Amino acid sequence: MTNFEKLNNKTVCSGCGRLQDSLKLCFDCQRWQQAGKFLLKNQACFTYNQAMKEYMRMYKFIGDYQLKDIFTKILQSLIKEQGMDIIVPIPVSQQTWLIRGFNQVTAMLESTSYQELLSVALVDKGHQSARQRKDRLISQQPFALSRTIDDLSGKKILLVDDVYTTGATLYHAADLFYQAGVGEVRSVTLAR
Amino acid sequence: MMDKELLFGRMITCPKIQKTDEEYQRTASFIKGVCQRCGQNQRTSLPRNQFYCQACLILGRVSSLDDLIFLPEPNNFDGQVELVWPGTLTKQQVQVSKDLVKSMEQGRNHLVWAVTGAGKTEMLFPLLLKAFQQKKRVALVSPRVDVIVELAPRLAAAFSNLSQVVLHGKQTTPYGYTQLVLATTHQLLRFKEAFDLLVIDEVDSFPFRGNPMLQYAVQTAQKGTSMIAYLTATPTPDLKTAVKRGNLRVSYLPLRFHQQLLPKLQIKRVNDWRLKMPKLLKKQIEVFIEEQRQFLIFVPYVSDLIIVERYLQDYTQLKGTTVHANDPNRIEKVQQMRQKNIQFLITTTILERGVTLPGIDVLILGADETTFSENALVQIAGRVGRSHERPTGLVLAVVKQVNLSVFRAQKQINAMNQRGCQLKKKFGVKDELSPLSAKD
Ligand SMILES: [Zn+2]
């Protein structure tokens, strides 16, 4: 069994936070740029190694909610370091709420004030890792900006998700905020 | 929806929002806070006033967002099973198997108190055959996964036209509807009113002993009219009490498969064996070397392994190593011993059960310390005398002071041997091999 691998003070891609030899943009991030996106400058606490995959299996797929406590501290301090205006967790669908019973992201944000500005608009997105990467990159916008929100113009938004896999989820979310006129969108994830 | 067969006699979770055919029986997953799969009240909260069961989480989560669904066991078997095992049972095994069949016919539970190495699996064959031919559904379970893994091929080989599935935490083959289920006791939690016959091997071992959840699992997995057969070499006090009160029938198998008695537990007193290698140990090691005898040395704690290993380092011609529960190379080391590449293992109680090493001797250092219960000592004695060629051997408890556990273990072995002697007379078993003494 491997251990969790921390990413702080490691050399990572400046676009998505993945562990690599240089700070240069990785291939995936270059493609996001070519697609006309503003980089998310994602930062992650850990690599998505075997230990983290096993953790996610227990926490998310089996649903052992109390495992949320393991990483609340480290995730929240990374969020704080970013100094952004509004913290926005990636939401889960209504169906997930009725089956899993929790949002794995907000569960880890107990002492952080966040705003649930996003909701899942598309019906269940299915098991993400099962789909082809290409499909995911071009898949439809899964989210909607919820309710009437105060003026977001010029605000700095920090998106929070559990795992950065392809970046598609976070870039879709970012699109909505840029359309609403925010100044900047960045992201933080537990694992990359 | 899934194949109906997969739900016969099973109880599995289904989200409340998911619809199922009317035929499926749905029940709430919690009643008065008690998990309806495992019978425990160990809830962990979820947001929005929901919760889940922590006790049986290892089998997948049961939450207040789920129902439990179930289909009654229809016993869809053809009863065409045959016994193709080529061996024969000894007279005493035949007697016990008849006792078991009788108990099954009367729907009563039965304890088989069999010494280690008595051949209790084979003795089950007549009972199992009868059950299979009567289209009964059978579960053979054990708290110990290694017992199940070892039994599976033997049963598959012994019967023809029998469908069986093996279920335990580490196995990856999917569940299928079969007449015989081989499983760890945990897996019974997924069954409900499924089994007409339930055999529990090594019923006294961890984690079953004193675990209310697993005992609940056994109760739920059996049908109302079923029989439970308990097999063990060292029954727990509960089982002994049930026997005494007449609530549980008992059969004894006091002779081993080669018709010999258990080796006696010998006791020798020494001064602090952790400080200095006792003379007694030196002498015994020299005997082992001279006879090229393989041996196990049991010690109370992991920290003792190195102490004893250092003592043995002086004997350069001796090859051996240490082993304990969290040793990643445990299986290989036992294999090394079995292949006679090494002469000894120094071990914690982890090798107390389940390991068959023919022709070995055993020393138990600190047998008077709390690590070694009465039953643990009896199990350890059962490691010795496991071959036709050498049906007995040395079991030596090295103590500072004889205590109750050591004394009782010695008595338990003697009592079993007394039963064995009577049986030998009754069945006219010849004493072709006389028991060996300490230095034989
Ligand atoms: Zn439960």
Side-chain angles (χ1 to χ4, degrees), chain A residues 47 51 68 87 93 97 114 117 121-122 140 145 151 159 170 187:
Chain A
T47 63
K68 68 187 168 59
I87 315 297
S93 68
W97 269 106
Y114 55 84
L117 298 180
L122 270 183
Q140 276 177 279
L145 275 182
D151 188 16
L159 299 170
L170 287 162
S187 64

Side-chain angles (χ1 to χ4, degrees), chain A residues 25-40:
Chain A
L25 286 189
C26 72
F27 178 71
D28 287 337
C29 287
Q30 288 174 29
R31 287 190 38 188
W32 285 116
Q33 272 208 316
Q34 285 155 17
K37 310 278 185 187
F38 293 107
L39 281 180
L40 282 168

Side-chain angles (χ1 to χ4, degrees), chain A residues 116-132:
Chain A
E116 295 184 84
L117 298 180
L118 293 169
S119 61
V120 177
L122 270 183
V123 205
D124 216 70
K125 47 184 176 159
H127 199 285
Q128 255 205 347
S129 53
R131 279 207 252 155
Q132 290 300 313

